[in-house]
Amino acid sequence: MFTGIVTFVGRVVEWRPGHVGIEQPEVVARLERGGSVAVNGVCLTVIRMEDATFFADVVPETLRRTNLGELRPGDEVNLELPLRLEQGLDGHLVQGHVDATTRVSGVHGVELGREVTFELPADLVPYVTEKGSVAVDGTSLTVAAVDEGTATFTVALIPHTLERTVARHYAPGRLVNLEVDVVARYVERLMKNGTGA
């Protein structure tokens, strides 16, 4: 389990189908073989570490459902270590299980930061609501607006987020990972089963 508070940005140093190597010395210092780390919001298992780089396998299912298949050496990725029991819960509960990929449809500079608009996949419309939470490339963000007419949603990025995550690279057409709020999913399931209030 994660919080969507990106710890560090790492750099891809090795990529081949089914295998990725990411350099980030501070993250590697805290990892153990077999441990978990979120890479662009995708929970991966560390299979080995070498100097300042950790390596993970990326199975075909993950490649189909996420943007990890588009990574190339030199690319930056968001990294987050798992939530510890004694740790405060900033952000929101993020599982590291990507629901869909989607694309940036617009980026607009504002006085403090940027507003970024993303395409909203039809099957995820019920789970994305204004002032609700969503994880984009593993970053916990608050939804500023939803436009069902254009099937898009918008978030406001503060300077800190732009400095500390890959969001600074967002431009129209960029493919991102999207995970909706797990609480919204459970609420919908309870309502469908007739157990809601």
Side-chain angles (χ1 to χ4, degrees), residues 5 21 25 37 48-49 89 100 104 126-127 133 150 155 162 173 177 181:
I5 304 300
V37 60
R48 68 184 174 94
M49 295 169 289
L89 181 61
V104 176
Y127 312 109
S133 296
T150 60
V155 300
L162 294 169
N177 293 326
D181 188 354

Side-chain angles (χ1 to χ4, degrees), residues 56-111:
D57 291 330
V58 187
V59 298
E61 170 72 359
T62 302
L63 292 174
R64 282 192 297 270
R65 291 183 174 267
T66 73
N67 66 6
L68 298 190
E70 295 202 347
L71 294 177
R72 296 296 179 266
D75 288 348
E76 290 185 329
V77 290
N78 287 334
L79 300 175
E80 184 188 354
L81 298 170
L83 176 67
R84 300 184 311 275
L85 289 178
E86 73 274 12
Q87 184 178 334
L89 181 61
D90 290 328
H92 72 284
L93 292 175
V94 176
Q95 294 182 296
H97 303 160
V98 171
D99 291 300
T101 55
T102 191
R103 294 195 181 273
V104 176
S105 63
V107 178
H108 307 283
V110 293
E111 185 174 352

Side-chain angles (χ1 to χ4, degrees), residues 86-185:
E86 73 274 12
Q87 184 178 334
L89 181 61
D90 290 328
H92 72 284
L93 292 175
V94 176
Q95 294 182 296
H97 303 160
V98 171
D99 291 300
T101 55
T102 191
R103 294 195 181 273
V104 176
S105 63
V107 178
H108 307 283
V110 293
E111 185 174 352
L112 284 175
R114 295 176 194 157
E115 292 182 353
V116 182
T117 301
F118 303 90
E119 297 172 1
L120 180 56
D123 59 326
L124 298 183
V125 169
Y127 312 109
V128 179
T129 183
E130 186 175 335
K131 303 306 179 188
S133 296
V134 66
V136 178
D137 281 337
T139 303
S140 176
L141 299 171
T142 300
V143 178
V146 177
D147 188 335
E148 294 188 19
T150 60
T152 60
F153 71 95
T154 300
V155 300
L157 301 179
I158 62 174
H160 178 82
T161 302
L162 294 169
E163 292 167 6
R164 298 291 302 250
T165 74
V166 299
R168 61 179 171 266
H169 301 304
Y170 287 170
R174 184 181 175 108
L175 189 70
V176 299
N177 293 326
L178 180 63
E179 181 183 332
V180 299
D181 188 354
V182 65
V183 175
R185 282 198 174 280

